[in-house]
Structure formats: structure tokens, C-alpha cells
């Protein structure tokens, strides 16, 4: 079915105006608006709220009572609301004032990885304000940071969102061009970010995640094993005052056993365990409303 360009244009203009409003508000007012939006989404998006609660039940079982799961779920929606507001305010950030809101831990790990000359592959989860990572990595390694992204069907809205993400030199690579562009980037000793913590469907491999099989993307580990590029784990943690701490792990040492599929599964599981630890410590900062365990192994296979 052809897209309704009139509706797409209306949505684009609404987002454009909303972004302008977010930018003229004082930051504490804007964060208050983000919190209010998150609370509204928690009440309105009943299907997504139930998915989030179900995911929390899978992850934590009886470790949390129902009221605690609801608190975490609501806080996760509030984090999402604040992330949306902060994203709309991206044009206010520049090479100087961004550091008033962001502190980076482990920049030396990224630098040491790139010193090997094979580029770097960075596993990124939807955690804290994950959108902020595009600006920060663009600042840390100007013109050498790239990320894989799925274009939106609304062309004008997609152009706006991609422009915001690329404000401080990061380059987005469309998913359809990912393989060739990624290999070229690694050859140029660039860093490539993969948001690879969500359900990978039939194309993924099943990894134990909080005690239940979850389909995980093979791309980051497969690429690291094939190219020899260092593999890192990185995320943003929102602080109580809405400052941001971005952590970059030391490179994960990959050793080939001679069995490629086994190695992909082994190190992908390692990444997911790493993510589990952060989720357990900051359960309200992960994107619970995504149906993470939707794809399950075929019992007949």
C-alpha cells in the first residue's frame, strides 16, 4: 500500500515544532516534560506496558513483587520520555557544552582498540539515553564513528532524525548497505556501533538471557571474528540528576576454537551476560517495552 505523503508531512511538521518547543524550554523544565510524557505513555500504551511487565517477570521472576515490577516498568517509560526530549534538544549541543551533561569512562579502551589499526566494533544496548551515544562517539573520534541504522518509511522524518544523530560527525550506515560499508569502515580504522540487544528473529542465534532463550544478533561477534577488529561493550547510564555517564569496556579478547559457529555463540552469550549485569543494577534504564523474547526455538527442530 502506498504511503500517505500528506500524513507523513503532518507528522514531520508536528515533530519539527515539538523539537523547537523542547529546545526553548529550560533544561529542568524539559526534563519535567519528558517525565510527564513517560508517565502518559505508561498509562496509554497498555499493550507495550504489558509486554514490559511480562519481560520483567521473565527476567526477575519472584525476586520482585508485582508492585516493584510496576515501579520499574513506569520508571522505564519515564526514561524513554526523557530520552525523547533530550533527542529533540540535540541541536543545542555542541563540541563544548555536551560535556556539561556527559562524562565518559573508558575512552582509553576505545583509543587502544583503534591503535591496532583494524577498526573497532562496539556493541550498544538500548540503555539510558542510547541516542546520546551518536553524538558522544562523534566527539570522541571525529569523522571515524559510524553506526548501522534502519531508515524510517517517513522520508522527511527520517531525514530529520538522521540529521540530529549525525550532528557531531557520526555517520549512519543504512541497514541495506551495512556489509560492504562496514568492511570498508573497518579497513579505514573506524569504529562501528551496533545496537544489537533486541530480538533478532529467525536470523539470530538463541542465547540464554535471564534464564530463557532469546534470539540475539550474530553480526557484532561474527564480524569481529572474521576481521580481527576489537569488540567493545558500551552504554549510557542516566544519573538521578539527568547527567549521563557513558562507559566503554576494555576490548573483549576473542579466541578462535576452530569452530566458527561455536565461537559466535560463545562470545554473543558473553555480551548478553555483560548486559544482564547492568540491567540487574539499573533495571529501570533498559527498554523493557520491546518484546525481547518473542522469537523462541522451534521445539520440533
Amino acid at each position: 500500500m502506498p504511503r500517505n505523503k500528506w500524513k507523513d508531512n503532518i507528522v514531520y511538521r508536528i515533530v519539527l515544532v515539538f523539537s523547537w518547543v523542547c529546545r526553548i524550554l529550560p533544561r529542568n523544565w524539559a526534563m519535567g516534560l519528558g517525565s510527564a510524557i513517560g508517565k502518559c505513555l505508561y498509562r496509554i500504551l497498555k499493550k507495550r506496558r504489558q509486554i514490559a511487565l511480562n519481560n520483567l517477570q521473565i527476567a526477575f521472576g519472584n525476586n520482585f513483587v508485582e508492585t516493584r515490577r510496576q515501579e520499574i516498568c513506569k520508571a522505564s517509560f519515564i526514561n524513554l520520555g526523557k530520552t525523547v526530549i533530550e533527542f529533540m534538544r540535540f541541536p543545542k549541543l555542541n563540541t563544548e557544552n555536551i560535556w556539561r551533561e556527559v562524562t565518559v569512562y573508558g575512552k582509553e579502551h576505545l583509543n587502544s582498540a583503534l591503535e591496532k589499526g583494524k577498526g573497532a566494533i562496539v556493541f550498544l544496548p538500548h540503555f539510558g539515553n542510547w541516542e546520546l551515544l551518536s553524538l558522544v562517539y562523534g566527539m570522541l573520534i571525529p569523522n571515524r564513528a559510524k553506526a548501522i541504522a534502519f531508515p524510517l518509511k517517513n522520508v522527511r522524518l527520517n531525514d530529520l532524525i538522521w540529521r540530529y544523530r549525525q550532528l557531531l560527525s557520526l555517520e549512519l550506515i543504512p541497514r541495506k548497505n551495512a556489509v560492504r560499508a562496514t568492511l570498508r569502515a573497518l579497513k579505514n580504522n573506524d569504529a562501528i556501533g551496533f545496537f544489537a540487544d533486541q530480538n533478532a528473529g529467525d536470523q539470530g542465534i538463541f542465547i540464554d538471557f535471564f534464564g530463557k532463550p532469546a534470539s540475539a544478533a550474530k553480526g557484532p561477534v561474527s564480524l569481529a571474528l572474521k576481521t580481527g577488529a576489537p569488540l567493545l561493550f558500551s552504554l549510557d547510564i542516566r544519573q538521578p540528576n539527568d547527567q549521563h555517564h557513558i562507559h566503554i569496556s576494555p576490548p573483549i579478547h576473542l579466541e578462535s576454537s576452530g569452530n566458527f559457529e561455536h565461537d559466535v555463540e560463545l562470545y554473543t552469550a558473553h555480551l548478553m551476560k555483560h548486559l544482564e549485569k547492568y540491567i540487574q543494577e539499573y533495571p529501570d534504564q533498559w527498554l523493557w517495552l520491546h518484546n525481547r523474547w518473542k522469537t523462541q526455538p522451534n521445539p520440533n527442530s
Side-chain angles (χ1 to χ4, degrees), residues 3-31:
R3 293 189 61 78
N4 188 320
K5 293 185 178 180
W6 182 82
K7 288 184 178 179
D8 281 356
N9 190 47
I10 292 296
V11 170
Y12 163 75
R13 291 185 179 277
I14 289 173
V15 172
L16 202 62
V17 172
F18 180 61
S19 176
W20 174 77
V21 171
C22 292
R23 294 199 302 274
I24 64 173
L25 288 174
R27 188 170 188 270
N28 59 332
W29 289 23
M31 291 297 94

Side-chain angles (χ1 to χ4, degrees), residues 28-47:
N28 59 332
W29 289 23
M31 291 297 94
L33 175 60
S35 179
I37 289 173
K39 291 174 183 177
C40 288
L41 293 176
Y42 173 76
R43 293 186 176 276
I44 294 171
L45 301 180
K46 295 182 179 179
K47 181 178 179 181

Side-chain angles (χ1 to χ4, degrees), residues 102-107 129 132-133 136-137 140 234-237 244-248:
V102 175
T103 304
V104 178
Y105 298 91
K107 179 183 177 181
N129 183 343
L132 192 59
L133 296 169
V136 172
Y137 272 86
L140 293 177
S234 180
L235 48 61
D236 168 62
I237 301 175
H244 294 273
H245 290 179
I246 290 177
H247 294 260
I248 305 172

Side-chain angles (χ1 to χ4, degrees), residues 77-88:
F77 273 86
I78 290 172
N79 179 66
L80 176 60
K82 289 182 175 182
T83 295
V84 169
I85 295 297
E86 288 169 331
F87 181 79
M88 292 295 141

Side-chain angles (χ1 to χ4, degrees), residues 123-179:
F123 178 96
L124 307 167
H126 290 79
F127 206 93
N129 183 343
W130 58 89
E131 291 287 356
L132 192 59
L133 296 169
S134 62
L135 301 188
V136 172
Y137 272 86
M139 283 293 303
L140 293 177
I141 45 174
N143 302 310
R144 295 178 64 193
K146 295 176 172 59
I148 311 298
F150 288 90
L152 300 176
K153 293 180 180 179
N154 184 329
V155 177
R156 296 191 73 186
L157 183 60
N158 182 74
D159 289 345
L160 176 69
I161 290 175
W162 279 39
R163 186 165 73 249
Y164 279 20
R165 288 170 171 167
Q166 298 180 113
L167 281 169
L168 298 182
S169 92
L170 175 127
E171 178 187 342
L172 291 176
I173 299 173
R175 184 65 182 85
K176 64 178 181 180
N177 303 329
V179 175

Side-chain angles (χ1 to χ4, degrees), residues 64-95:
F64 291 151
V65 296
E66 180 62 25
T67 53
R68 177 59 176 147
R69 283 195 294 272
Q70 291 176 357
E71 288 173 358
I72 294 171
C73 181
K74 187 175 182 178
S76 178
F77 273 86
I78 290 172
N79 179 66
L80 176 60
K82 289 182 175 182
T83 295
V84 169
I85 295 297
E86 288 169 331
F87 181 79
M88 292 295 141
R89 290 169 59 86
F90 273 10
K92 289 179 69 70
L93 299 177
N94 56 45
T95 57

